[in-house]
Amino acid sequence: MHAGLLHAAAHELWQQGMSKAAIGRKLGLHQATVRKLVNARSADDVVAKNLQRAHVVDPYVGYLHRRWNEGVRNAAQLYREIQQLGYPGGELAVQRHLRRYRTGRGHAPDPGPKPLSVREVTSWIMTHPEHLRDEDADKLHRLRERDPELDRLTLHVRKFAAMMTGRHGDRLEDWITDIEQDSLTPLAGFARNLRRDFDAVRNGLSLPHSSGAVEGNINRLKMLKRQMFGRASLDLLRKRVLLTR
């Protein structure tokens, strides 16, 4: 029966003094549905509330499509899963959404390509452009065209990478200034920290020296100490260090 007719019938029976339970039995409706019809001022209110409950599922339709196509058909389970993703609505709205799949061919429509993850996009930005796969480079290019902030972020990151690999510490001041004048808050915090240790960072980006050799010796010494823990003296440890050079 149409929502308008149901609303009118329920109100007429209610005005005749019939209980909500009796109205439900007469109209073949759940008592909760009768309560909503009786409490609604008009049929439009009933439809509006139903649409509102349906729309709350919209951000999770892609997930429901995928899980349905994977063979998960239990509405209660799917409701619990999207609750973990932040779904704020009730289980009834999920059941209503899934009902259209049950009355069809048993499979939801193809949800389309998987949304890009933050990790994927971060990886593309941090990878040297010459080392990106053509497919990933095209995706990143399209993202940069649609999002000016992401475009600027990519440019800043690549300029910093060029400073690191080319030892261009002389460009650090200009790079920090550009970041400070931009509106990218996370990068601005990073730039402030660089300015606090400006001389050390600039030297690290300019000089050919590396702490790799020292760190390698420290790691080797730690390994020897672990091997001999509690079983040898400092003198024997010194001899082992000398013998392993």
Side-chain angles (χ1 to χ4, degrees), residues 59-68 70 78 81-82 85 111:
Y60 307 91
V61 164
Y63 182 86
L64 293 174
H65 283 178
R66 178 171 63 82
R67 295 293 284 146
W68 183 276
E70 289 173 353
L78 291 173
E81 289 182 13
I82 62 174
L85 300 176

Side-chain angles (χ1 to χ4, degrees), residues 128-179:
H128 193 289
E130 295 180 1
H131 300 158
L132 269 178
R133 296 186 308 166
D134 290 343
E135 179 184 357
D136 294 339
D138 289 341
K139 290 178 182 177
L140 179 59
H141 178 71
R142 289 195 294 271
L143 284 173
R144 292 177 64 183
E145 284 184 328
R146 294 197 299 268
D147 190 331
E149 286 195 350
L150 183 65
D151 181 50
R152 298 200 310 276
L153 173 66
T154 304
L155 288 173
H156 290 317
V157 169
R158 287 180 174 177
K159 285 181 180 179
F160 192 85
M163 279 194 294
M164 290 184 63
T165 56
R167 294 179 186 166
H168 296 300
D170 56 303
R171 303 178 186 175
L172 181 62
E173 175 65 39
D174 290 340
W175 187 85
I176 293 177
T177 301
D178 288 343
I179 297 299

Side-chain angles (χ1 to χ4, degrees), residues 31-203:
Q31 189 169 343
T33 303
V34 174
R35 184 169 60 251
K36 292 172 186 175
L37 290 170
V38 169
N39 293 340
R41 290 176 299 179
S42 68
D44 289 340
D45 287 347
V46 178
V47 174
K49 288 180 180 179
N50 286 340
L51 287 174
Q52 185 179 10
R53 282 192 294 271
H55 290 329
V56 81
V57 183
D58 287 351
Y60 307 91
V61 164
Y63 182 86
L64 293 174
H65 283 178
R66 178 171 63 82
R67 295 293 284 146
W68 183 276
N69 287 331
E70 289 173 353
V72 181
R73 306 298 168 84
N74 185 281
Q77 179 181 338
L78 291 173
Y79 165 66
R80 288 192 296 269
E81 289 182 13
I82 62 174
Q83 262 194 321
Q84 296 298 316
L85 300 176
Y87 169 67
E91 184 177 345
L92 185 58
V94 178
Q95 292 175 352
R96 285 174 175 153
H97 181 79
L98 296 177
R99 195 173 299 149
R100 68 190 67 179
Y101 306 159
R102 300 187 194 283
T103 56
R105 296 181 179 179
H107 289 276
D110 184 357
K114 178 184 175 183
L116 297 175
S117 69
V118 173
R119 179 175 295 181
E120 283 178 311
V121 178
T122 301
S123 174
W124 299 340
I125 293 174
M126 300 296 290
T127 301
H128 193 289
E130 295 180 1
H131 300 158
L132 269 178
R133 296 186 308 166
D134 290 343
E135 179 184 357
D136 294 339
D138 289 341
K139 290 178 182 177
L140 179 59
H141 178 71
R142 289 195 294 271
L143 284 173
R144 292 177 64 183
E145 284 184 328
R146 294 197 299 268
D147 190 331
E149 286 195 350
L150 183 65
D151 181 50
R152 298 200 310 276
L153 173 66
T154 304
L155 288 173
H156 290 317
V157 169
R158 287 180 174 177
K159 285 181 180 179
F160 192 85
M163 279 194 294
M164 290 184 63
T165 56
R167 294 179 186 166
H168 296 300
D170 56 303
R171 303 178 186 175
L172 181 62
E173 175 65 39
D174 290 340
W175 187 85
I176 293 177
T177 301
D178 288 343
I179 297 299
E180 290 173 336
Q181 293 174 350
D182 208 326
S183 59
L184 300 171
T185 304
L187 269 188
F190 176 65
R192 282 195 300 271
N193 289 330
L194 293 183
R195 193 175 284 287
R196 292 192 187 105
D197 298 307
F198 184 84
D199 291 338
V201 176
R202 182 183 56 191
N203 290 338

